């Protein structure tokens, strides 16, 4: 997402959206129906955590356009299944053109799944959501330049996940996770999707 001096922009249907939500056709549905909506469930949060990690250093549209490839390659991001992936699976993933073939990110995904498979059911959900800041303390952003890339809460979440052994989850990635999964609502104040989470 890039900074912008204006607020929401009318889309093809006339509804005002965050400007990034209109920057590519693929973004409209993602912006309207997913981004900033509450995501719960260990597997669902694991998927978002993995995709945000794979996005690191790339544009989100790159990940969004390959999401189905990622889901196929990583067994629907079911933690218990990914935790059983072997070295042979890692070799297959490195050759899969449907995903981002980055060895460090693939290794982190497999290691994180193995670690999370040991957590009690529901623990990832409870843990991540315990870092959701009080919405009353966060004014609605008026422009994209009002939206931070990292916050104290995302830094704390990143440190806590790393302390528990998870990899490839820095403060910026943690904040992108918080935005995508509805822990924070960074839709602009005049965006129609504001408050829909």
């Amino acid at each position: 997402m890039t900074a912008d001096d204006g607020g929401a922009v009318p889309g093809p249907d006339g509804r005002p959206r965050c400007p990034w939500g209109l920057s590519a056709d693929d973004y409209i549905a993602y912006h309207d129906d997913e981004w900033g909506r509450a995501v719960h469930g260990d597997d669902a949060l694991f998927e978002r955590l993995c995709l945000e990690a794979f996005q690191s250093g790339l544009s989100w549209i790159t990940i969004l356009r390959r999401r189905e490839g990622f889901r196929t390659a990583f067994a629907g991001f079911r933690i218990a299944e990914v935790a059983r992936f072997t070295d042979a699976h890692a070799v297959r993933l490195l050759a899969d053109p449907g995903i981002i073939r980055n060895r460090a990110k693939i290794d982190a995904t497999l290691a994180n799944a193995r670690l999370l498979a040991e957590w009690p059911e529901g623990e990832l959900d409870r843990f991540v959501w315990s870092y959701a800041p009080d919405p009353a303390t966060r004014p609605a952003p008026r422009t994209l330049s009002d939206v931070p890339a990292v916050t104290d809460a995302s830094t704390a979440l990143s440190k806590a996940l790393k302390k528990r052994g998870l990899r490839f989850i820095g403060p910026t990635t943690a904040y992108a996770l918080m935005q995508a999964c509805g822990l924070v609502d960074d839709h602009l104040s005049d965006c129609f999707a504001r408050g829909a989470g």
Side-chain angles (χ1 to χ4, degrees):
M1 289 177 242
T2 58
D4 186 85
D5 291 334
V9 176
D13 57 4
R15 294 190 295 179
R17 289 176 175 82
C18 301
W20 68 264
L22 292 168
S23 61
D25 289 343
D26 303 77
Y27 275 147
I28 295 176
Y30 178 70
H31 169 275
D32 292 1
D33 302 326
E34 292 187 63
W35 193 76
R37 307 284 174 122
V39 173
H40 285 284
D42 292 347
D43 290 343
L45 285 166
F46 176 63
E47 175 180 352
R48 298 295 184 91
L49 180 67
C50 294
L51 294 178
E52 294 296 347
F54 272 98
Q55 185 271 330
S56 181
L58 303 169
S59 67
W60 179 246
I61 197 74
T62 302
I63 303 304
L64 194 57
R65 289 177 175 160
R66 295 181 185 205
R67 185 161 52 172
E68 290 309 314
F70 275 106
R71 287 175 172 164
T72 299
F74 287 99
F77 290 100
R78 291 180 293 277
I79 294 169
E81 289 187 42
V82 179
R84 291 191 294 269
F85 278 22
T86 64
D87 289 343
H89 288 92
V91 170
R92 174 187 57 80
L93 291 166
L94 283 167
D96 188 337
I99 67 169
I100 304 301
R101 294 173 285 182
N102 178 296
R103 182 67 189 230
K105 294 176 182 181
I106 290 170
D107 288 348
T109 299
L110 302 187
N112 288 347
R114 291 177 191 122
L115 188 147
L116 292 171
E118 301 297 320
W119 290 22
E121 185 175 343
E123 179 67 12
L124 179 61
D125 190 304
R126 285 187 293 275
F127 190 83
V128 168
W129 276 90
S130 72
Y131 286 86
D134 179 353
T137 65
R138 304 187 79 246
R142 292 182 4 195
T143 69
L144 291 183
S145 58
D146 295 332
V147 179
V150 65
T151 63
D152 290 344
S154 75
T155 300
L157 174 58
S158 169
K159 286 181 180 177
L161 288 169
K162 286 179 179 180
K163 185 174 183 179
R164 292 194 68 172
L166 273 79
R167 296 163 39 187
F168 240 99
I169 180 71
T172 303
T173 298
Y175 193 64
L177 176 76
M178 294 171 80
Q179 291 174 303
C181 295
L183 281 75
V184 297
D185 185 355
D186 275 344
H187 283 286
L188 299 186
S189 57
D190 52 352
C191 173
F192 88 90
R194 174 92 191 160

